Amino acid sequence: MTTSQPKLSDFTPFPWPEAAYDYAGAGLKQHWARLHQGDAEPWPADKQVQAAWRAYHAGDFGQAVTLGLEAGDAGLNVVNKALVIHASYLLEDKYAKREAFELAASNAERLQKRQPDNANAWYFHALALGRYSQVISVSKALSLGIGDKIKTSLDKALALAPDHAEAHIAFGAWHAEIIDKLGAMIGSITYGAKKEEADRHFKAALVIIPHSAIARMEYANAMVMMHGKSKMAAAEALYGEAAECEPVDAMERLDVEAAREELEDE
């Protein structure tokens, strides 16, 4: 995997700067619980890491990566989340996306060795590999053994942080993607993928983060992958709810706008 670090010029500006998701000064700590209800990231003592997270929440993903890298291991979780969210939503070129996901996964693997009890070292590894799989094709990723790596990292993340909502979402998507590509029977025999487990993970996530657009969108996508047209109406309803969610930072704004765009295309 690539180890080269991106330059600020590699980052696409956040499309809605007027939103000003600004958590200056004490504002970041005051809103930390809500901002990190999804990823269960603990409050960082390092002021440099705090600054990186402020940049991340504001949508300045390039600055978040720069500041996070300068902070060393303490900043790698914000680096990895910024890389993945930026690439997922704001990069068009598939090779640039792949590089970003590879870098985030490589960073996370390094952090796992140094901080094995860091839940997000495992979660962001799974997230990066999951998004990487979607770029190269899930079928190809499974043939490369990436499906097992994702499962291992999500199992570890949830063992360390059982209420990690975003890990539940990712695990729900993992079950659905495998069933979609291999079918329910082969998916279950080969990987242990099950429709009821996907449902369980998504429902768990929505209990923890009931305000989440991405939980609804991923659940909707999973429903269609696992059940086809019979769940289309339910999936559309979830997208409608996602489009009405109130974002509190750049990532959530990107989620909501993606849901609105999906509804407009239908």
Side-chain angles (χ1 to χ4, degrees):
M1 288 190 169
T2 183
T3 55
S4 60
Q5 302 296 347
K7 304 181 294 293
L8 280 174
S9 58
D10 296 332
F11 288 85
T12 301
F14 180 62
W16 297 278
E18 74 283 356
Y21 299 110
D22 184 8
Y23 294 98
L28 183 66
K29 190 167 189 178
Q30 289 168 4
H31 294 90
W32 187 264
R34 167 62 180 84
L35 289 166
H36 292 272
Q37 202 169 351
D39 66 14
E41 178 74 3
W43 169 253
D46 189 313
K47 292 190 181 301
Q48 176 95 352
V49 179
Q50 294 170 21
W53 279 113
R54 283 191 187 91
Y56 167 84
H57 291 301
D60 191 346
F61 299 117
Q63 185 70 355
V65 169
T66 298
L67 292 170
L69 287 172
E70 289 173 357
D73 288 354
L76 280 183
N77 282 340
V78 63
V79 167
N80 293 339
K81 193 164 196 182
L83 285 169
V84 171
I85 298 305
H86 172 263
S88 297
Y89 284 114
L90 299 178
L91 286 181
E92 297 292 335
D93 182 78
K94 71 175 184 178
Y95 297 105
K97 284 178 179 281
R98 277 178 53 173
E99 286 184 5
F101 298 144
E102 286 176 341
L103 177 56
S106 178
N107 287 341
E109 286 171 4
R110 209 164 63 246
L111 192 59
Q112 288 168 5
K113 292 171 184 173
R114 296 172 184 167
Q115 298 180 13
D117 293 333
N118 185 328
N120 277 330
W122 300 94
Y123 166 63
F124 291 128
H125 180 248
L127 180 66
L129 289 182
R131 298 293 173 88
Y132 177 80
S133 299
Q134 291 169 341
V135 173
I136 67 169
S137 90
V138 172
S139 297
K140 183 176 180 180
L142 291 176
S143 73
L144 295 172
I146 292 175
D148 288 321
K149 291 181 180 179
I150 294 171
K151 183 178 188 295
T152 296
S153 285
L154 289 175
D155 277 332
K156 186 70 172 178
L158 285 170
L160 291 166
D163 290 333
H164 197 303
E166 290 179 22
H168 279 295
I169 295 168
F171 225 155
W174 179 88
H175 283 275
E177 292 270 18
I178 288 174
I179 290 167
D180 180 49
K181 293 298 177 291
L182 301 180
M185 183 180 294
I186 301 300
S188 176
I189 292 169
T190 310
Y191 292 98
K194 299 181 185 298
K195 293 177 182 179
E196 56 269 27
E197 276 297 286
D199 287 333
R200 182 180 71 81
H201 282 296
F202 285 119
K203 288 174 181 175
L206 283 166
V207 168
I208 301 163
I209 45 172
H211 48 71
S212 172
I214 193 63
R216 288 170 169 80
M217 292 158 66
E218 293 285 6
Y219 196 7
N221 295 340
M223 281 181 175
V224 175
M225 281 191 279
M226 295 189 298
H227 303 284
K229 291 182 179 179
S230 68
K231 290 291 186 178
M232 193 65 73
E236 288 174 355
L238 282 170
Y239 260 92
E241 291 175 13
E244 296 300 318
C245 289
E246 191 65 38
V248 297
D249 75 349
M251 182 195 79
E252 292 191 10
R253 178 65 180 271
L254 289 164
D255 293 337
V256 169
E257 293 294 340
R260 291 172 180 170
E261 188 176 323
E262 181 72 19
L263 290 171
E264 288 171 4
D265 290 343
E266 289 177 356

